[in-house]
Amino acid sequence: QVQLVESGGGLVQPGGSLRLSCAASGTIAGIFAMGWYRQAPGKERELVGTIYMNGNTDYADSVKGRFTISRDNTKNTIWLQMNSLKPEDTAVYYCKMTIWVVPVAREYWGQGTQVTVSS
């Protein structure tokens, strides 16, 4: 079983920065990708960005240029560096891992960490 634990959330002022981390534990074998999602109250969970095994990344238009995903394979950890934060970035941020083991794909989610952007 794979477990994901997010940390680093908190209260930050508009224009500020915050870095989230997601640590994965357990047996991870096969093709996998990790990403960040977020969900604000009353809204659908949305994809923030994804990082793949080869290090390539994709970002939602709303965060492109402000957020950066990075990884540390030796520690099975990814980070979400958030800069120029806006009130609309306020949400619970979730880490997700997808592992493809033919013929199935398995998804794992962390419990989430709250990010609040407010003055």
Side-chain angles (χ1 to χ4, degrees), residues 21-44:
S21 66
C22 172
S25 62
T27 301
I28 303 172
I31 301 173
F32 69 92
M34 298 181 70
W36 288 97
Y37 289 72
R38 66 185 182 185
Q39 186 169 23
K43 297 183 179 180
E44 296 288 324

Side-chain angles (χ1 to χ4, degrees), residues 45-59:
R45 187 171 298 185
E46 65 174 343
L47 174 65
V48 174
T50 303
I51 187 165
Y52 303 93
M53 289 182 65
N54 61 7
N56 288 345
T57 54
D58 293 320
Y59 300 96

Side-chain angles (χ1 to χ4, degrees), residues 21-98:
S21 66
C22 172
S25 62
T27 301
I28 303 172
I31 301 173
F32 69 92
M34 298 181 70
W36 288 97
Y37 289 72
R38 66 185 182 185
Q39 186 169 23
K43 297 183 179 180
E44 296 288 324
R45 187 171 298 185
E46 65 174 343
L47 174 65
V48 174
T50 303
I51 187 165
Y52 303 93
M53 289 182 65
N54 61 7
N56 288 345
T57 54
D58 293 320
Y59 300 96
D61 289 340
S62 60
V63 306
K64 190 173 297 183
R66 299 189 298 120
F67 292 9
T68 303
I69 299 174
S70 58
R71 62 178 169 87
D72 183 343
N73 288 333
T74 61
K75 298 181 179 180
N76 297 125
T77 301
I78 63 168
W79 292 269
L80 178 65
Q81 178 67 48
M82 303 183 292
N83 299 323
S84 301
L85 284 163
K86 306 173 181 178
E88 49 263 45
D89 294 319
T90 296
V92 177
Y93 284 71
Y94 298 90
C95 180
K96 177 188 177 182
M97 172 178 283
T98 302

Side-chain angles (χ1 to χ4, degrees), residues 29-33 52 98-102 104-106:
I31 301 173
F32 69 92
Y52 303 93
T98 302
I99 303 176
W100 288 271
V101 181
V102 179
V104 301
R106 298 180 179 180

